[in-house]
């Protein structure tokens, strides 16, 4: 879901913001409305613009896997994924088998990075990995992936409320029931019967 980030001196609007225990990192459309934007803050009040590479469209998702920040967005030149070790200086992900796709989801679970696009989930332990594990799934543009350690289950969802589950994050199955998107994203980890 879009996140409203109210610091217009860096963004026209924000799409996502995450906290890793030390720094907040946000992404969206830059203040001029001409390209993507990355911003960071250690206190949630004072924000600074990210440096280095950027999306020429807009940033849509950001995630932290314990080592790297990863961001995805739109870019007409095909550079749709970036990474950073500190959340401040960014570089384009190159030399992978997934950069250039239009990503609809980005999450991290247990150090792994999950990027959703089309009807596929790509998985890697680092955004700089040259080869990601690609899995075709029965979702239309996967948007969110969560993990519930209480039942040892991964769950992925698309915006239509379709869900799939997995015990390893690679092999996915489709439950027999469909739920609404809000339930899927916010409550699904508490619904082990799905």
């Amino acid at each position: 879901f879009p996140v409203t980030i109210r610091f217009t001196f860096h963004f026209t609007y924000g799409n996502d913001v995450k906290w890793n225990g030390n720094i907040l990192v946000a992404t969206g459309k830059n203040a001029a409305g001409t390209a993507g934007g990355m911003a960071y803050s250690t206190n949630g009040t004072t924000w600074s613009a990210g440096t280095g590479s950027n999306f020429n469209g807009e940033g849509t998702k950001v995630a932290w896997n314990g080592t790297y920040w990863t961001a995805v967005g739109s870019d007409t030149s095909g550079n749709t994924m970036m990474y950073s070790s500190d959340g401040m200086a960014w570089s384009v992900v190159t030399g992978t088998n997934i950069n250039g796709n239009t990503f609809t989801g980005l999450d991290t679970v247990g150090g792994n990075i999950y990027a959703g696009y089309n009807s596929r989930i790509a998985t890697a332990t680092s955004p700089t990995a040259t080869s990601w594990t690609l899995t075709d799934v029965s979702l239309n543009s996967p948007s969110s992936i969560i993990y519930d350690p209480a039942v040892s289950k991964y769950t992925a969802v698309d915006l239509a409320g379709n869900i799939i589950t997995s015990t390893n994050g690679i092999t996915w199955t489709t439950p027999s029931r469909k739920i609404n998107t809000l339930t899927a994203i916010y409550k699904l980890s508490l619904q082990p019967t799905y």
Side-chain angles (χ1 to χ4, degrees), residues 57-151:
E58 67 181 83
T60 55
K61 300 271 189 176
V62 64
W64 167 254
N65 78 334
T67 303
Y68 286 106
W69 288 96
T70 305
V72 295
S74 58
D75 189 287
T76 56
S77 63
N79 296 319
T80 57
M81 182 177 282
M82 300 191 307
Y83 72 98
S84 171
S85 60
D86 59 11
M88 297 179 279
W90 293 84
S91 300
V92 171
V93 171
T94 60
T96 76
N97 59 335
I98 65 164
N99 192 28
N101 289 291
T102 301
F103 297 101
T104 52
L106 180 70
D107 288 291
T108 58
V109 177
N112 290 323
I113 305 164
Y114 294 86
Y117 65 98
N118 299 333
S119 292
R120 179 173 283 175
I121 294 174
T123 310
T125 57
S126 169
T128 61
T130 56
S131 182
W132 290 53
T133 300
L134 307 180
T135 305
D136 292 326
V137 296
S138 58
L139 296 179
N140 182 17
S141 302
S143 59
S144 184
I145 296 171
I146 59 173
Y147 178 73
D148 183 359
V151 294

Side-chain angles (χ1 to χ4, degrees), residues 40-56:
Y40 62 91
S41 171
T42 57
N43 59 19
T45 302
T46 304
W47 290 82
S48 300
T51 62
S53 300
N54 211 334
F55 304 112
N56 66 22

Side-chain angles (χ1 to χ4, degrees), residues 27-41:
T27 189
K29 189 81 167 180
N30 72 2
T34 57
M38 302 300 300
Y40 62 91
S41 171

Side-chain angles (χ1 to χ4, degrees), residues 175-189:
S176 58
R177 295 194 292 176
K178 181 177 177 178
I179 61 175
N180 67 56
T181 304
L182 286 175
T183 303
I185 293 175
Y186 292 111
K187 297 184 179 179
L188 199 53
S189 63

